[in-house]
Amino acid sequence: MDFAFTPEQERIREAIARLCERFGDDYWLKKDREGGFPADFHQAFARDGWLGIAMPEAYGGSGLGIAEAAVMMQAIAESGAGFSGASAVHMNIFGLNPVVVFGNEEQKQRMLPPLIAGKERACFAVTEPNTGLNTKKIKVRAEKRKDVYYVSGQKVWISTAQVAEKVLLLARTNIGITLFYTDLDRKYVEVREIHKMGRHAVDSNQVFFDGLPVPEADRIGEEGKGFEYILHGMNPERILIGAELVGLGRCAVKRAAAYAKERIVFDRPIGQNQAIQHPLAANWMALEAANLMTFKAAWLYDQKKPCGAEANSAKYLAGEACFDACQQAVMTHGGFGYAAEYHVERYLRESLVGRIAPITPQLILCYIAERVLGLPKSY
């Protein structure tokens, strides 16, 4: 049993930390205030060859595992970039795994290299306004006429649709739910940004499809099997989100501890008080416990072993630990925690992204209750 990172994983962590130093607190504070996709951040990762870390080498990737990808995503969040930085590159890391696993060779050669090289950006269009996480009930339709599908309907909470050239799209066809990867052609698509609480640098959107033509060559795998295909990528997504949450939580605890050592009240640093010490110590322990579950799940996945319970647990534990740590960081700063220039209020807002998405804490509890404990389904 070995809990240490491999030398390669350590090198990844160090390299990502160095890269992120070029995008410091002032950069992310400005992005939070002004919005706008962090294209220079995204391109820096593309130039250094990181966008394909978990993609096959044959298409320009590095061919590494989810454990290495988790190391990378955690380092991004922990740098202070939080979910603004992580979400800017997240889709590249594992978003097109359905193409890797279920696409044909022509599709892989055509679709993967531009994404890995940073020449194209993609969004993932699954969620709909009236279905939420009940994906089997999606209503967006793809009507096939000859060798072209025409897509109409509405998606919601679609990240990076303002800047994406491509879309990984789940739609209903005559024989079931089908997956496509195609051009996000603005002549047939309207994208409306949702003004939201945090992660302002990475847009979230309503997306309206009005007869978007999709060539049959852009269908991934068999018609009607799209839901099965996206299930294949859900465990890795939960693992990566868990890693990002731990990274952001660590960043918050580190900043709070530094402030507690410097802030003098009643002639002593506030960090000398157990009321400040103990909550931060508890936050640290919760984050490290979540981290162990995250990398256990990553190891299981890379060993091709079942990891559903561990991946879901990692996301749940990391989500709760990160939120608690970010909230405590704000409270440690007192009134200054409410000021944007101290950054911790941004961490708190961004922590909610990973707590809510891509699956709520309540549904994870249902999963564990049913799949691990054998209790009857409650919904």
Side-chain angles (χ1 to χ4, degrees):
M1 186 177 293
D2 189 350
F3 291 97
F5 283 164
T6 67
E8 182 175 36
Q9 290 167 343
E10 290 287 1
R11 286 194 293 271
I12 291 169
R13 183 173 181 82
E14 292 166 5
I16 297 302
R18 286 195 302 272
L19 193 161
C20 289
E21 285 175 359
R22 292 151 48 189
F23 302 89
D25 290 336
D26 291 342
Y27 176 88
W28 295 111
L29 180 59
K30 184 177 181 182
K31 283 294 179 184
D32 187 61
R33 286 173 172 166
E34 300 177 2
F37 186 79
D40 46 352
F41 180 82
H42 174 270
Q43 285 301 301
F45 275 78
R47 284 192 299 272
D48 286 2
W50 292 111
L51 293 186
I53 188 170
M55 290 290 177
E57 293 181 84
Y59 311 107
S62 299
L64 299 177
I66 286 301
E68 286 74 29
V71 168
M72 170 179 155
M73 299 308 293
Q74 187 172 87
I76 292 172
E78 194 170 342
S79 75
F83 273 89
S84 290
S87 297
V89 299
H90 185 100
M91 181 65 181
N92 285 82
I93 305 309
F94 209 76
L96 284 198
N97 187 60
V99 175
V100 174
V101 178
F102 302 106
N104 60 43
E105 186 60 27
E106 183 278 330
Q107 289 174 328
K108 294 174 189 179
Q109 293 283 358
R110 173 165 57 93
M111 298 171 176
L112 298 177
L115 193 75
I116 292 168
K119 295 177 181 178
E120 292 178 349
R121 288 168 293 194
C123 60
F124 190 20
V126 174
T127 307
E128 297 183 8
N130 297 315
T131 59
L133 290 170
N134 193 2
T135 305
K136 289 184 177 181
K137 297 294 184 180
I138 63 169
K139 295 179 173 59
V140 167
R141 289 200 61 82
E143 298 286 349
K144 189 176 182 182
R145 298 198 288 272
K146 295 184 178 179
D147 59 351
V148 177
Y149 294 86
Y150 295 88
V151 178
S152 296
Q154 181 183 357
K155 298 287 185 179
V156 73
W157 293 114
I158 310 307
S159 296
T160 72
Q162 291 287 334
V163 298
E165 294 86 11
K166 297 284 186 175
V167 58
L168 185 65
L169 171 67
L170 207 62
R172 184 171 296 283
T173 55
N174 287 337
I175 61 171
I177 295 172
T178 302
L179 187 65
F180 304 91
Y181 184 70
T182 194
D183 293 332
L184 192 64
D185 190 336
R186 309 298 166 130
K187 295 194 297 289
Y188 304 94
V189 179
E190 181 185 357
V191 180
R192 298 180 192 168
E193 187 166 1
I194 298 169
H195 296 284
K196 56 189 188 297
M197 183 179 184
R199 206 192 65 171
H200 297 142
V202 178
D203 51 274
S204 300
N205 305 275
Q206 299 179 76
V207 180
F208 300 86
F209 297 91
D210 186 9
L212 173 70
V214 179
E216 187 173 11
D218 288 354
R219 189 190 73 213
I220 306 303
E222 297 180 39
E223 187 170 317
K225 292 191 175 181
F227 183 72
E228 298 173 35
Y229 296 161
I230 66 164
L231 285 178
H232 192 271
M234 287 185 174
N235 286 332
E237 183 179 35
R238 284 151 175 67
I239 292 166
L240 295 179
I241 292 289
E244 293 161 21
L245 285 160
V246 170
L248 178 58
R250 283 175 170 172
C251 180
V253 169
K254 181 179 179 181
R255 188 175 286 274
Y259 181 82
K261 287 185 279 190
E262 298 169 358
R263 175 66 167 161
I264 306 297
V265 179
F266 298 117
D267 302 320
R268 56 191 273 160
I270 62 171
Q272 192 173 340
N273 302 318
Q274 290 181 350
I276 296 294
Q277 293 179 355
H278 288 182
L280 292 176
N283 292 145
W284 183 90
M285 289 188 282
L287 287 164
E288 294 309 305
N291 194 54
L292 288 173
M293 181 62 82
T294 298
F295 281 95
K296 178 183 180 182
W299 182 85
L300 287 169
Y301 182 86
D302 287 338
Q303 298 298 314
K304 296 181 170 40
K305 297 177 183 290
C307 65
E310 290 80 5
N312 278 282
S313 298
K315 191 271 181 187
Y316 176 91
L317 293 170
E320 300 306 298
C322 178
F323 175 78
D324 291 344
C326 293
Q327 178 177 247
Q328 192 58 43
V330 171
M331 298 305 293
T332 300
H333 282 72
F336 289 116
Y338 209 64
E341 66 182 288
Y342 283 80
H343 305 286
V344 288
E345 62 85 28
R346 172 169 60 87
Y347 301 162
L348 178 58
R349 287 185 284 114
E350 292 201 353
S351 72
L352 288 164
V353 175
R355 200 177 184 208
I356 296 169
I359 182 173
T360 62
Q362 292 76 21
L363 276 180
I364 292 176
L365 292 170
C366 288
Y367 179 95
I368 298 299
E370 295 159 19
R371 304 294 182 88
V372 178
L373 305 180
L375 296 173
K377 190 171 183 177
S378 60
Y379 61 95

